[in-house]
Amino acid sequence: MKFLWCLLLLIGLWVSNNPTAVAQARINVNEPTKLAADKEASPDSVKAKVANPRSLTFTASTDQRFFFFNDTRNDNGKRVPVSVYGVRAGFLFPVKHPENVEPGGMRAAFKTGVGFYFVNQTLDRPGLLPGTSEAVERHLRIVTAYFEPYLYRKKAIEISLPLELGYGHSRYEVASDQSTEREVARGIFIPAGVGLSASYQFPTIRGLRPLRWFGLNLLTGYRFILKRDVPESQVNYSGLYFSVGPSFFLENLTYDVGQWRKNRKKKKK
């Protein structure tokens, strides 16, 4: 009996001097803990609370540009803009280390994809093509692959650097209906380009989230031709380009639709 009392006394002294051991023994692994990383916690413990980066996000937009081709000039010899219409589609790639991103900061590291463009233009320049003395119609079809890293993307403003490389097909036809031979020339060319793009996203006002699906875009750059389609002619598609107009943020639309579906499922439950 004396030995039992001594044993109980020793256990009591050990428990009183080691309260943390008892606290750890009472933790139930089946219940969520309320541990939170403090300001002086190690970097690993803080990273554990950061949500995983999202997967690829699909994005698409129309793309109308005004090109200053070297072969399109007015009577004074000044280049005039040519409207180029197109559409782009691709994916947004998430940043590698989202834990280092400030709130409202970079939502993606870059985007990449493909674009399709077409041009229908009438050229009243005799001699532009060898052996032609009449106005001709130019038809261009261009497919490009683009890589666009973000230089700045925070809250409502984003700035990016679009790099493009493509494949183009051209066809020239006589504009006059009196000519028996319509087609004059056709060829294949390789365009490349570099530019600077800036976009502004409209904010939500009084809870109207669809406003943030739209915005404004300013794009400028230079496109040059690595391979010409009609080398013996004066045809030259190289030149500056710019674009100013509305912008549509497809990724914002898909995100809002996804959130709406999640909230709807929760209400049903």
Side-chain angles (χ1 to χ4, degrees), residues 11-257:
I11 293 174
L13 292 174
W14 180 81
V15 170
S16 62
N17 293 328
N18 296 274
T20 56
V22 177
Q24 291 177 0
R26 292 177 181 175
I27 293 177
N28 187 349
V29 295
N30 295 324
E31 296 180 0
T33 62
K34 298 181 180 180
L35 297 178
D38 54 16
K39 296 182 180 180
E40 297 180 358
S42 63
D44 293 337
S45 61
V46 176
K47 289 181 180 179
K49 298 187 64 178
V50 179
N52 293 329
R54 295 179 181 176
S55 58
L56 302 183
T57 303
F58 179 74
T59 179
S61 63
T62 57
D63 189 3
Q64 179 186 3
R65 306 182 189 184
F66 298 95
F67 277 83
F68 290 92
F69 294 150
N70 285 332
D71 61 13
T72 305
R73 302 175 182 270
N74 57 18
D75 296 337
N76 297 326
K78 294 183 179 181
R79 287 182 291 182
V80 294
V82 179
S83 296
V84 178
Y85 301 92
V87 61
R88 299 202 310 170
F91 292 93
L92 290 166
F93 285 72
V95 293
K96 291 184 177 180
H97 302 286
E99 66 274 8
N100 298 329
V101 179
E102 297 178 1
M106 296 281 287
R107 293 170 290 173
F110 63 90
K111 61 180 175 180
T112 182
V114 295
F116 174 76
Y117 302 88
F118 67 92
V119 180
N120 296 320
Q121 180 187 8
T122 300
L123 294 170
D124 191 7
R125 288 189 60 189
L128 182 65
L129 294 171
T132 60
S133 58
E134 300 179 83
V136 295
E137 294 179 352
R138 173 159 61 191
H139 305 277
L140 304 181
R141 302 295 182 265
I142 308 170
V143 177
T144 62
Y146 69 88
F147 172 73
E148 190 169 345
Y150 285 102
L151 305 179
Y152 179 86
R153 198 170 198 237
K154 188 173 183 180
K155 295 183 179 179
I157 299 176
E158 62 181 31
I159 301 175
S160 57
L161 184 70
L163 307 173
E164 299 174 306
L165 181 63
Y167 171 88
H169 178 270
S170 65
R171 188 180 80 256
Y172 288 85
E173 297 179 351
V174 177
S176 176
D177 294 334
Q178 300 177 356
S179 177
T180 57
E181 295 184 1
R182 292 285 299 174
E183 188 172 300
V184 177
R186 65 169 58 202
I188 296 173
F189 60 96
I190 306 297
V194 58
L196 184 66
S197 175
S199 298
Y200 174 75
Q201 173 186 304
F202 293 148
T204 56
I205 300 177
R206 295 184 178 180
L208 296 177
R209 298 187 67 83
L211 291 178
R212 75 189 200 99
W213 302 347
F214 305 93
L216 298 175
N217 176 258
L218 172 63
L219 173 67
T220 184
Y222 188 88
R223 171 169 287 177
F224 50 93
I225 304 302
L226 302 180
K227 177 187 177 302
R228 298 178 61 182
D229 52 351
V230 190
E232 64 274 12
S233 70
Q234 300 181 31
V235 173
N236 190 347
Y237 311 131
S238 299
L240 297 171
Y241 66 84
F242 74 93
S243 174
V244 180
S247 180
F248 178 69
F249 297 89
L250 178 63
E251 60 271 21
N252 290 347
L253 170 61
T254 55
Y255 176 80
D256 288 342
V257 171

